[in-house]
Amino acid sequence: MSSENPIYAEVILPLPLYSTFTYRVPAAMVGGVSAGCRVVVPFGKKKFYTAIVSSITHIAPKGFEVKEIHSVLDDAPILKHPQLKLWEWISQYYLCSIGDVYKAAVPAGLKIESETYVELNGDYEESADNRMSEREAIVAQTLDHNGKMTPVEIGRKTGLQNVEALVARMVEKGIVIVHEKLVERYRVKKETCVRLAVDRNDSEAMHRAFDTVRNSKKQEKLLVAMIDMLNKNQRQGVPLEVTKARLLETTGLTPAILSAVVSKGVLETYSREINRFRYLGTDIGELPVLSAPQKEALSAIHSGFLEKDIMLLHGVTSSGKTEIYIHLIDFILKKGEQALYLVPEIALTTQLTRRLQKVFGNKVVIYHSKFSDNERVDIWKRILNDPSPCVVIGARSSLFLPFSHLGIVIVDEEHESSYKQFDPAPRYNARDCATVLASMHGAKTLLGSATPAVETYYKAKTGRYGLVTLSERYEGVKLPDIMVVDMNEERKRSRLSGPISFPLARLSKEALGKKEQLIFFHNRRGFAPVVLCRQCGFVPKCQNCDVSLTYHRRAGEMVCHYCGATYRLPTICPACKEPSIEVHGYGTERIEDIVEATFKEAKTLRMDLDTTRNKDSYENIITDFSKGNADILVGTQMVTKGLDFDNVSLVGVLNADTLINFPDFRSSERAFNMLEQVAGRAGRRKQRGVVVVQTTQPSHPVIGYLQAHNYLGFYNHELEERRRFNYPPFTRVINIYLKHREEEPLIRASALYAERLRSLLGNRVFGPDEPHVSRIQSLYIRKIMLKVEVEASMVKVKALLRQVYESFMENKEFRSLMVYYDVDPG
């Protein structure tokens, strides 16, 4: 292509920018650049970024100089067309930049980043007017010894603080030079393999090979084992590759023996790229046998999909929804298509993976954020390059994988707030994105839940979605009996000395005496949520956030659960200087200690954010409890979400009030769902379980509907409340958050911002209000709420909000104001 007719690429940068950017395609790259490819482009003065090409055009942009693409990273696109369409939809609907979607969607390992590197300036000469300080001399000496380094590496090597500022001063003095270097995060994983250096079918060559090693029994043993392994591989029809690790493990010989045989020209070693993904399943078994109600539900789903693209399976806890999902996945795989199985928590992938692999073997692919970047890249590449039928099971990020032939998306526990991304942008709901993703592939969506979200059930009842109901548990097991304990009464009768009431303690001892298991649910982690001075009432707060600190005893520190900052627990009150600091309240860490002290013979496990930070920690806890290696499981909301334990007969909800009293229009729905779900962990097989709910509000409507397991009654009550106050599903809520480092400018700005919005949207605008937590990470916060008609165009809403934002930012006073949107807050 001649330079007279240049080609341009529109690219998406991994930055919070709302538009794409145009770059010229160099003549040498024409034909090698297409939509979905990664290209490295210059942006700003010195930065380089990995951009995604969204389209190719011959139309030259006007009004600015066009830079050229620096390099192309791919021979073929790493994204498929439906993915780019989904990115655009998420950007439009959730009022965020396309760059934010890119950052969330693509594993970091596929994004080459530009990093600052520092090196000594060879031309620098020290003089009386330009001497190095002691700290600068330490940095110079470190660079002289190690060569080019990043500021982070310099700080780690020298132990100096605030290295970036120090380097900036050294640049001004001419001591060092700063430049940018592209760094590729992804590292290919390789393994060493061994092969024969002679033709195995050439008998003379093989005789010579054995003659070469005859004088060493160990070398001869190695060669014999190598040939045996190759013959075995050939008989089994698998690739004729033998890894170095497997060969040495089989023979029990050392690498030195292998090196000796290689040096004699009998064997050769080579490396090959391998996929990090580990298959956990083994032999493929039979499909699970369905009960009569399950068969009816499966048939109804198939029939429903003939008319509707989205179906809701409303099945009570332990009704056997997973078995139905497995039959649907089998149907899709036999059609030669792919399935996506979304779960709200990584914890659920452990149990589900085992169940699916027993049926589908290595067709099961797992993808979630606990995997390393390199592992996620490997899985991405597998889905990209292998269009064969498979089922991907994962959390919300698995939506973004490059599917080729998606046939169905199953969203298990669709009501869960965990499907909603809160921070950072894009603040999307994976459940709703799943329905859009499926439609873009021409696939079907099945939503499943025992307690569907109010909006979802409303769409099913009004005919937008299909509806199938499973109203009884598998094999006729009864729903658990709900016992409500009035904690006010317990205190009046002086039967309460801790978080476990007398009735719950009695039932727990009875269950443990029968060798049954218990779950204690308490939705607050840490040891104690409140630290205070008993003399003056001082409560330590986070320096960055407007919240009190939670004491974590095992770590020996107070932690802010909003920004993660940690503080030492004071022995002397900073306010009154008295040694009167105490901890109050209960977190799961303290509950665990109390449970162990109360039930001394029982073994206790804890499952919360603090005990599940490692990739395998979920699996280890769930496996231990499932195998009966522990009697009691203490946990936060993680224990409520679809876990299946055969021997659990009793569940204790230690404080239902924290769920019911949360200041949010969804609090009742969230409380009912969570309590009904945790209740579903009890008595899942042979006997009716018991759930003890401790509360100071036994007459609250949520508790009444929970006792009766009456989802429909709760739904009708909640729907009427939503209708009265004009909340979803009758409107669409958009929260606009404004943040600033200073409170006074924020108060003025938020009031003016709301006023401008009211001039355009009238009584749809509410606020500004001070949110429940009004300062996080040193930023003060105000919230403006919009209630927009459901049928309103999000494209037009976004354009209007963008217009208000841009006009507002023309005022220099508000340039440091941060504004972002939360559409359909969870």
Side-chain angles (χ1 to χ4, degrees):
M1 184 69 65
S2 70
S3 59
E4 296 175 2
N5 189 19
I7 292 177
Y8 301 91
E10 291 291 321
V11 306
I12 303 165
L13 289 161
L15 299 168
L17 303 168
Y18 281 83
S19 59
T20 57
F21 290 80
T22 309
Y23 287 83
R24 183 184 294 109
V25 180
M29 297 180 193
V30 171
V33 178
S34 59
C37 282
R38 293 179 303 158
V39 292
V40 176
V41 297
F43 190 79
K45 290 184 178 180
K46 292 184 178 180
K47 293 283 187 180
F48 285 84
Y49 291 97
T50 300
I52 299 288
V53 177
S54 60
S55 64
I56 301 293
T57 179
H58 290 278
I59 303 171
K62 297 178 181 178
F64 58 90
E65 182 186 352
V66 181
K67 295 179 181 179
E68 281 194 343
I69 291 173
H70 180 270
S71 58
V72 182
L73 297 178
D74 305 301
D75 296 328
I78 66 153
L79 262 68
K80 297 184 181 294
H81 181 61
Q83 284 176 284
L84 286 170
K85 282 175 61 183
L86 180 66
W87 289 13
E88 290 168 7
W89 182 85
I90 290 174
S91 172
Q92 291 287 349
Y93 185 82
Y94 291 103
L95 306 176
C96 64
S97 71
I98 190 91
D100 281 327
V101 183
Y102 169 24
K103 284 173 68 178
V106 177
L110 289 174
K111 296 193 283 278
I112 292 178
E113 295 181 358
S114 184
E115 286 194 354
T116 301
Y117 269 72
V118 183
E119 65 177 325
L120 277 177
N121 181 2
D123 296 329
Y124 172 75
E125 291 182 3
E126 194 168 21
S127 65
D129 299 326
N130 194 13
R131 290 190 180 280
M132 281 191 265
S133 67
E134 184 178 343
R135 295 176 80 228
E136 290 168 350
I138 292 171
V139 171
Q141 187 178 3
T142 304
L143 289 171
D144 184 51
H145 182 71
N146 294 280
K148 298 172 186 174
M149 299 176 74
T150 66
V152 172
E153 290 169 341
I154 294 169
R156 195 181 297 128
K157 202 81 173 174
T158 62
L160 296 173
Q161 300 293 317
N162 201 12
V163 172
E164 288 80 359
L166 182 60
V167 167
R169 289 196 295 272
M170 293 175 74
V171 170
E172 289 178 11
K173 290 182 175 181
I175 302 169
V176 296
I177 299 169
V178 171
H179 61 95
E180 300 296 317
K181 177 181 177 181
L182 287 174
V183 179
E184 187 163 11
R185 299 292 185 194
Y186 176 63
R187 295 291 180 268
V188 171
K189 186 174 184 180
K190 294 183 177 182
E191 66 181 356
T192 302
C193 294
V194 185
R195 63 189 169 206
L196 285 170
V198 295
D199 186 353
R200 193 156 50 106
N201 298 315
D202 186 336
S203 57
E204 287 188 15
M206 291 302 298
H207 276 299
R208 286 196 297 271
F210 274 100
D211 287 341
T212 306
V213 298
R214 183 166 294 149
N215 294 330
S216 170
K217 289 183 179 180
K218 290 182 178 180
Q219 293 178 19
E220 188 175 27
K221 178 184 177 182
L222 188 81
L223 181 57
V224 170
M226 178 71 188
I227 293 169
D228 285 344
M229 293 170 77
L230 289 171
N231 290 336
K232 184 179 179 181
N233 284 1
Q234 189 171 30
R235 287 194 302 271
Q236 294 178 348
V238 298
L240 299 179
E241 285 187 315
V242 176
T243 66
K244 174 182 174 181
R246 184 171 161 231
L247 178 60
L248 295 179
E249 182 184 355
T250 302
T251 60
L253 298 172
T254 64
I257 301 296
L258 174 60
S259 297
V261 178
V262 169
S263 68
K264 291 179 177 180
V266 176
L267 297 178
E268 294 176 343
T269 59
Y270 64 98
S271 65
R272 64 165 185 166
E273 183 178 338
I274 61 170
N275 194 301
R276 289 175 174 80
F277 185 70
R278 296 174 297 144
Y279 298 118
L280 304 176
T282 51
D283 297 330
I284 298 176
E286 299 292 324
L287 286 170
V289 177
L290 299 184
S291 65
Q294 286 175 316
K295 288 178 181 175
E296 287 180 25
L298 179 61
S299 177
I301 291 168
H302 279 299
S303 300
F305 276 145
L306 297 175
E307 297 180 7
K308 307 280 186 184
D309 289 332
I310 305 169
M311 296 289 293
L312 169 63
L313 175 59
H314 177 205
V316 296
T317 54
S318 199
S319 58
K321 295 186 288 295
T322 305
E323 286 81 2
I324 293 173
Y325 300 155
I326 290 171
H327 276 260
L328 284 167
I329 292 166
D330 180 63
F331 175 75
I332 291 298
L333 297 186
K334 284 176 178 174
K335 286 174 63 181
E337 297 174 341
Q338 298 163 322
L340 172 60
Y341 189 153
L342 284 177
V343 292
E345 285 281 356
I346 295 168
L348 290 181
T349 61
T350 300
Q351 284 193 334
L352 286 171
T353 298
R354 290 177 189 150
R355 294 175 72 177
L356 265 63
Q357 285 180 328
K358 285 179 181 177
V359 180
F360 304 116
N362 62 8
K363 291 180 180 177
V364 179
V365 179
I366 312 144
Y367 188 83
H368 54 62
S369 60
K370 288 290 182 182
F371 285 141
S372 69
D373 280 334
N374 286 335
E375 287 174 315
R376 277 184 279 176
V377 170
D378 282 344
I379 296 166
W380 183 287
K381 286 183 173 181
R382 178 192 166 176
I383 301 297
L384 178 70
N385 299 322
D386 183 3
S388 60
C390 67
V391 50
V392 175
I393 178 169
R396 57 178 181 249
S397 58
S398 54
L399 273 172
F400 297 112
L401 287 168
F403 296 100
S404 301
H405 306 291
L406 195 60
I408 193 169
V409 180
I410 296 168
V411 185
D412 195 19
E413 311 291 357
E414 65 81 30
H415 64 278
E416 275 290 346
S417 59
S418 302
Y419 282 124
K420 173 72 173 178
Q421 163 81 8
F422 291 100
D423 272 313
R427 295 170 179 84
Y428 67 100
N429 189 309
R431 174 198 62 205
D432 299 332
C433 291
T435 63
V436 175
L437 173 70
S439 69
M440 289 175 173
H441 281 270
K444 304 295 184 182
T445 305
L446 179 66
L447 309 174
S449 176
T451 55
V454 169
E455 290 97 319
T456 301
Y457 201 72
Y458 179 77
K459 289 172 183 174
K461 295 294 283 184
T462 53
R464 184 171 168 186
Y465 297 169
L467 176 63
V468 176
T469 302
L470 259 177
S471 55
E472 64 178 72
R473 284 181 143 191
Y474 188 69
E475 294 184 343
V477 176
K478 291 183 178 180
L479 288 165
D481 181 32
I482 308 287
M483 176 191 293
V484 177
V485 175
D486 185 344
M487 298 299 273
N488 289 326
E489 279 297 314
E490 288 290 296
R491 286 191 185 90
K492 286 178 186 176
R493 297 166 68 176
S494 301
R495 299 205 306 182
L496 196 64
S497 59
I500 301 174
S501 66
F502 176 77
L504 177 56
R506 176 176 54 80
L507 289 170
S508 298
K509 288 174 182 175
E510 289 176 5
L512 291 170
K514 298 175 187 176
K515 304 298 182 185
E516 295 166 350
Q517 291 175 300
L518 326 176
I519 292 177
F520 288 134
F521 166 58
H522 186 67
N523 206 31
R524 194 183 287 269
R525 66 187 176 95
F527 185 82
V530 177
V531 178
L532 61 81
C533 173
R534 70 172 180 271
Q535 293 288 350
C536 68
F538 168 78
V539 175
K541 288 195 170 186
C542 178
Q543 294 174 6
N544 309 313
C545 309
D546 186 25
V547 291
S548 58
L549 298 167
T550 300
Y551 177 53
H552 290 243
R553 193 178 69 178
R554 280 169 178 78
E557 57 193 13
M558 301 182 295
V559 180
C560 174
H561 286 178
Y562 281 83
C563 73
T566 58
Y567 303 83
R568 188 175 59 84
L569 180 71
T571 53
I572 305 295
C573 174
C576 68
K577 310 303 180 187
E578 292 292 325
S580 49
I581 293 290
E582 296 178 339
V583 296
H584 291 266
Y586 301 94
T588 47
E589 190 181 339
R590 192 175 191 181
I591 299 288
E592 181 186 20
D593 287 352
I594 291 168
V595 167
E596 287 176 341
T598 306
F599 310 105
K600 293 184 174 63
E601 301 302 316
K603 184 180 178 187
T604 304
L605 290 173
R606 174 163 57 96
M607 187 160 72
D608 56 24
L609 186 64
D610 298 315
T611 62
T612 55
R613 294 189 186 277
N614 298 325
K615 182 171 67 175
D616 297 327
S617 47
Y618 289 104
E619 183 174 354
N620 294 338
I621 294 169
I622 292 166
T623 300
D624 273 357
F625 196 63
S626 296
K627 288 181 176 179
N629 296 335
D631 307 292
I632 302 172
L633 179 63
V634 175
T636 56
Q637 60 181 343
M638 290 180 184
V639 303
T640 72
K641 299 178 181 180
L643 297 173
D644 191 357
F645 302 117
D646 290 354
N647 197 37
V648 172
S649 65
L650 176 66
V651 170
V653 179
L654 300 187
N655 188 352
D657 299 343
T658 57
L659 304 174
I660 294 169
N661 297 330
F662 196 81
D664 178 61
F665 79 90
R666 295 189 196 275
S667 61
S668 290
E669 177 186 8
R670 200 178 293 118
F672 179 84
N673 290 351
M674 201 173 291
L675 292 170
E676 184 67 25
Q677 290 287 335
V678 76
R681 303 313 111 210
R684 296 176 64 85
R685 287 293 179 267
K686 299 175 183 176
Q687 63 180 41
R688 188 177 192 186
V690 176
V691 180
V692 177
V693 179
Q694 299 183 166
T695 177
T696 60
Q697 305 172 72
S699 60
H700 194 286
V702 166
I703 301 297
Y705 292 121
L706 176 71
Q707 274 192 287
H709 297 289
N710 185 3
Y711 172 79
L712 281 178
F714 169 76
Y715 164 77
N716 289 325
H717 174 271
E718 184 68 12
L719 193 68
E720 194 50 46
E721 289 288 299
R722 303 276 187 93
R723 192 192 309 274
R724 189 191 312 173
F725 295 105
N726 206 27
Y727 277 112
F730 305 105
T731 56
R732 177 178 288 130
V733 170
I734 302 171
N735 285 335
I736 304 173
Y737 289 93
L738 298 92
K739 294 184 176 183
H740 200 283
R741 293 204 172 272
E742 296 178 34
E743 190 170 20
E744 284 304 316
L746 177 64
I747 292 170
R748 291 197 309 274
S750 58
L752 184 57
Y753 210 95
E755 187 180 313
R756 291 196 184 179
L757 285 170
R758 280 194 189 88
S759 68
L760 296 168
L761 294 165
N763 59 7
R764 299 177 184 86
V765 182
F766 300 83
D769 298 314
E770 191 173 331
H772 177 60
V773 178
S774 60
R775 187 170 66 99
I776 296 177
Q777 293 181 339
S778 301
L779 293 170
Y780 292 92
I781 310 167
R782 290 295 182 274
K783 182 180 80 173
I784 300 170
M785 179 190 286
L786 301 184
K787 291 182 181 177
V788 183
E789 292 82 353
V790 173
E791 59 275 9
S793 164
M794 288 304 287
V795 175
K796 291 181 180 177
V797 170
K798 183 175 184 179
L800 189 148
L801 291 174
R802 189 72 193 165
Q803 173 191 328
V804 171
Y805 173 81
E806 288 175 357
S807 66
F808 198 80
M809 290 302 164
E810 289 175 1
N811 188 332
K812 291 182 180 179
E813 182 188 357
F814 302 129
R815 293 276 169 85
S816 55
L817 184 73
M818 286 170 267
V819 180
Y820 68 85
Y821 310 96
D822 188 7
V823 180
D824 301 336

